[in-house]
């Protein structure tokens, strides 16, 4: 639903002459133009296991950025995390990833793609995203970070000792 709302919201603002804006719908974003001083928008990607820390930052202009993860709506039972992103093959919460972030132009496409990518292994997710012309960052269930090569120039880890593998 957020992608459905963000797409006409973006058109509305652009149609009224706004060349630069950021719209936040519960953490899923659409940005157009640059910040007031001409800089790209810097978007923080939350660390899925530390709500007080960022995992990485994106510097973007004119795009949509959506993140899905197992860390917002969940509960722990018997040492296992149960969250709201269900794998349709198993009927259980997805287990491949902690977080998926997808970057692209169309918020409606990104809304569906981020959930799909979250439910895949990191390799499958990156292939899926690249074949659709989308950028993405997958933080797998072991804490490894994998990103599409298209994000190499705009994605930086918050902690310099953390490695993001670009493919």
């Amino acid at each position: 639903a957020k992608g459905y709302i963000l797409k006409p919201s973006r058109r509305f603002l652009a149609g009224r002459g706004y060349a630069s804006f950021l719209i936040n719908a519960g953490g899923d974003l659409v940005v157009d133009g640059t910040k007031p001083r001409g800089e790209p928008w810097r978007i923080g990607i939350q660390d899925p296991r530390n709500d007080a820390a960022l995992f990485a930052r994106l510097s973007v202009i004119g795009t949509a950025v959506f993140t899905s993860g197992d860390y917002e709506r969940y509960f722990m039972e018997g040492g296992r995390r149960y969250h709201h992103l269900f794998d349709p093959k198993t009927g259980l919460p997805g287990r491949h990833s902690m977080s998926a972030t997808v970057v692209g132009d169309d918020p409606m496409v990104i809304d569906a793609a981020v959930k799909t990518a979250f439910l895949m292994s990191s390799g499958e997710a990156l292939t899926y995203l690249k074949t659709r012309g989308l950028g993405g960052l997958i933080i797998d269930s072991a804490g490894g970070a994998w990103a599409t090569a298209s994000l190499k120039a705009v994605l930086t880890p918050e902690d310099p000792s953390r490695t993001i593998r670009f493919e």
Side-chain angles (χ1 to χ4, degrees):
K2 291 180 193 176
Y4 178 77
I5 296 299
L6 285 170
K7 190 170 186 172
S9 299
R10 178 190 227 174
R11 275 196 314 262
F12 176 83
L13 290 173
R16 300 291 182 288
Y18 292 96
S20 183
F21 53 84
L22 180 147
I23 307 169
N24 182 344
D28 295 323
L29 309 169
V30 169
V31 300
D32 270 348
T34 62
K35 291 175 20 181
R37 293 187 180 164
E39 302 162 339
W41 296 97
R42 294 201 44 160
I43 309 300
I45 299 170
Q46 184 175 327
D47 186 320
R49 293 299 179 262
N50 181 353
D51 63 0
L54 294 178
F55 188 90
R57 289 185 191 264
L58 274 167
S59 295
V60 294
I61 298 170
T63 196
V65 180
F66 280 50
T67 298
S68 287
D70 68 356
Y71 54 91
E72 289 289 335
R73 293 184 285 268
Y74 74 95
F75 66 91
M76 300 296 289
E77 179 74 31
R80 191 166 188 172
R81 183 179 298 262
Y82 291 87
H83 57 83
H84 69 294
L85 298 167
F86 288 87
D87 185 334
K89 294 176 186 173
T90 65
L92 298 170
R95 298 284 177 224
H96 293 292
S97 304
M98 291 184 204
S99 173
T101 298
V102 176
V103 180
D105 187 53
D106 187 334
M108 286 183 60
V109 170
I110 303 306
D111 197 1
V114 72
K115 291 162 186 66
T116 302
F118 175 85
L119 294 171
M120 298 175 164
S121 69
S122 56
E124 291 171 323
L126 293 181
T127 298
Y128 167 80
L129 295 172
K130 288 189 281 189
T131 61
R132 286 156 180 78
L134 303 172
L137 167 68
I138 307 297
I139 303 172
D140 66 25
S141 60
W146 309 85
T148 57
S150 62
L151 296 183
K152 190 168 182 117
V154 297
L155 179 68
T156 54
E158 187 68 9
D159 177 350
S161 68
R162 189 171 273 153
T163 300
I164 298 175
R165 293 166 196 84
F166 292 92
E167 295 184 5

